[in-house]
Amino acid sequence: MSETRPTVVLTHGGFVDGSGWRGVYDRLRAMGHDVRIVQNPTLTLNGDVDAVKQVLDDIDGPAILVGHSYGGVVITEAGNDPRVTGLVYITAFAADKGESVLALVANPAPGAPVPPILPPREGFLLLDRDKFAASFAGDLPADEAAFMADSQVPWGLDAADGAVTEAAWQTKPSWYLVAADDKMIPPAAQRQMAQRAGATVREVEASHAVYVSQPQAVADLIHTAVEAR
């Protein structure tokens, strides 16, 4: 176990920004954790990894990386940094070497939900606004889901297609929160990725937006990861 308690670094996924972590941030701070939030631009995977490393550069000591959705690919790559002691995946893509989000979602299982991603426009992806709530935020109040739909951040194709060069979970401990009602990443795929990574797994009945709808469950798993280091 590290003598210095790791700082928690929260990394968001595609279509959103770091403000969605506020509920998790507040709960972690109340638990006594030092927390940082990465505002990764989601233009390219390399750029997002650099954004994480910029945050790590401002931390004096070890860190636990937390990623939601596409943020899981980001922390899988950024987690190779020697300052990172563990990884926490929140209904996220725990990619392996050579894998990207687009590769992982290319062949969905029969009957699996298909995210309502619109055709690319000038190199960027967005979700269908009318289908955003049902697919991404089914357990949030309607007005909050509508706000998220109307404030989407365009997700760069170069980020979605960015492939991991080395998977940090191969050499570092990981934890995974499965959202059993997720309509963006099928729960079966989440479980499979978590098992492959050898992660400690918890599961909750929640949508893809579990970090917003159930911040305490997310904070509790992160707390467990920090205390294990």
Side-chain angles (χ1 to χ4, degrees):
M1 182 179 293
S2 300
E3 293 182 6
T4 303
R5 197 184 207 195
T7 296
V8 176
V9 178
L10 305 172
T11 307
H12 64 81
F15 309 120
V16 296
D17 64 22
S19 63
W21 287 113
R22 181 60 190 268
V24 175
Y25 172 90
D26 288 345
R27 285 159 177 80
L28 288 171
R29 292 282 294 174
M31 294 176 181
H33 296 291
D34 194 10
V35 186
R36 302 287 189 277
I37 297 174
V38 183
Q39 291 287 7
N40 43 308
T42 67
L43 299 176
T44 67
L45 176 58
N46 288 339
D48 294 334
V49 171
D50 287 343
V52 173
K53 290 186 175 181
Q54 287 179 353
V55 172
L56 292 175
D57 288 342
D58 287 333
I59 295 171
D60 184 16
I64 292 278
L65 299 187
V66 182
H68 171 256
S69 194
Y70 158 72
V73 178
V74 178
I75 69 168
T76 298
E77 183 72 21
N80 292 299
D81 189 290
R83 294 168 290 189
V84 176
T85 60
L87 310 164
V88 183
Y89 294 91
I90 307 300
T91 186
F93 291 99
D96 202 351
K97 182 177 180 178
E99 293 180 344
S100 65
V101 171
L102 292 186
L104 287 168
V105 303
N107 297 298
V114 177
I117 300 175
L118 298 172
R121 291 181 59 184
E122 300 181 357
F124 291 93
L125 300 170
L126 287 168
L127 291 178
D128 186 325
R129 289 174 55 255
D130 294 334
K131 298 177 181 178
F132 186 99
S135 61
F136 196 106
D139 55 353
L140 290 179
D143 58 345
E144 190 168 1
F147 176 81
M148 293 179 72
D150 289 335
S151 62
Q152 287 183 69
V153 178
W155 185 22
L157 273 173
D158 288 340
D161 201 29
V164 168
T165 62
E166 294 293 337
W169 51 257
Q170 294 277 9
T171 58
K172 297 182 181 181
S174 61
W175 290 258
Y176 199 110
L177 186 68
V178 173
D181 295 329
D182 198 328
K183 300 298 190 296
M184 293 289 293
I185 305 176
Q190 296 177 51
R191 298 180 190 110
Q192 182 180 35
M193 288 186 288
Q195 182 179 24
R196 181 177 66 173
T200 298
V201 180
R202 290 184 186 172
E203 186 162 332
V204 294
E205 296 292 329
S207 74
H208 193 62
V210 60
Y211 67 111
V212 181
S213 64
Q214 295 197 37
Q216 190 63 56
V218 174
D220 286 344
L221 181 60
I222 297 168
H223 175 77
T224 297
V226 172
E227 292 300 298
R229 305 314 308 146

